Amino acid sequence: MEARAGRRAPRPKDDDRDLREVILTATRRLLDERRFDELSVADILAAAQVARGSFYFYFASKHEVLAELVRRAIARGHEVAQPWLTHDEPDQRRASVRHGISQGARLWREEAPVLRAIVENWRTDPELTALWHDQMASFTAVTTERITTEHVTTGGATAPDVDPAALGAALTWLGERLYYLATLDVAPFNDEDTLIEVLTHIWMTSLYGEPGA
């Protein structure tokens, strides 16, 4: 594992550029070509054309760079989930669920290098472990809230003996795994239409008892 810098470097003199964004952009570009575990800080320095001291002023390690890229990607994920979280009309259930899933698939397609990197490396670094647990927990929390609301107000399919939090976590982690497999071009999930239809079926059946509810 790459050693971390012991302290923040002094503020770089050439901070007339937004060096933090330069470093993030360069790392994102490198992830298009190489696995995260193959990258070193030296690779990022070369790609960003910044001094080592500049890098360590903004980030303690390459893991912190990945963490910020992940936070930004996940923030987009919460945005695309809003239609399902806020809909109230029963006849819009399937459309809103499918829309959220299709937007999730699009996000994973567009951010595949970053999201693959965190899935493959979150157990290699304590901060990445905490980050990914927190990010997935944030999706689980909003999913659980919606499941609970649906069950109370509309008589959703969730049985009384099924813990809504456990169901929310299962649906969240299932999505993570299938979206990840899609980024690896694993059949049948590399076909986006199939991926979306399968996940929509699972969500609709779990929440409402039948796919077209």
Side-chain angles (χ1 to χ4, degrees):
M1 183 181 298
E2 181 179 289
R4 296 177 181 276
R7 65 181 66 180
R8 292 288 183 189
R11 177 176 290 277
K13 295 179 180 179
D14 55 347
D15 62 350
D16 54 314
R17 296 186 298 163
D18 190 346
L19 295 182
R20 189 171 189 271
E21 292 302 317
V22 170
I23 292 165
L24 288 165
T25 299
T27 305
R28 175 62 177 79
R29 189 164 56 245
L30 286 170
L31 288 173
D32 285 332
E33 305 166 357
R34 298 163 63 181
R35 293 166 55 97
F36 178 74
D37 59 4
E38 297 172 342
L39 297 182
S40 65
V41 168
D43 295 323
I44 298 172
L45 297 180
Q49 296 185 321
V50 300
R52 184 171 292 272
S54 298
F55 177 93
Y56 283 116
F57 175 77
Y58 293 102
F59 301 101
S61 68
K62 69 173 189 175
H63 298 87
E64 281 197 4
V65 184
L66 176 60
E68 179 57 24
L69 291 171
V70 170
R71 289 188 193 97
R72 295 183 180 195
I74 294 302
R76 288 182 56 200
H78 281 291
E79 290 175 6
V80 302
Q82 284 307 305
W84 176 67
L85 296 175
T86 58
H87 88 277
D88 293 312
E89 300 80 7
D91 61 343
Q92 294 299 312
R93 288 171 179 168
R94 191 178 195 283
S96 61
V97 168
R98 192 182 191 284
H99 176 77
I101 290 170
S102 63
Q103 290 300 303
R106 177 182 176 182
L107 173 68
W108 275 76
R109 175 169 25 91
E110 293 175 351
E111 297 289 345
V114 170
L115 295 174
R116 268 201 309 266
I118 187 63
V119 170
E120 293 168 355
N121 293 277
W122 66 275
R123 296 284 301 200
T124 68
D125 175 81
E127 292 182 12
L128 289 183
T129 300
L131 169 72
W132 198 230
H133 270 300
D134 288 346
Q135 297 299 326
M136 295 300 287
S138 69
F139 281 107
T140 294
V142 294
T143 301
T144 301
E145 181 180 358
R146 189 63 194 185
I147 290 170
T148 302
T149 299
E150 292 281 3
H151 182 65
V152 171
T153 62
T154 68
T158 311
D161 58 344
V162 175
D163 179 10
L167 179 58
L171 292 172
T172 298
W173 284 99
L174 173 65
E176 185 245 38
R177 183 53 31 175
L178 297 191
Y179 288 140
Y180 169 68
L181 291 175
T183 71
L184 296 180
D185 202 30
V186 173
F189 308 114
N190 55 347
D191 182 281
E192 194 164 297
D193 288 339
T194 298
L195 172 64
I196 291 168
E197 289 305 319
V198 166
L199 281 173
T200 300
H201 176 91
I202 292 171
W203 278 68
M204 292 299 297
T205 302
S206 297
L207 270 61
Y208 305 111
E210 52 185 285

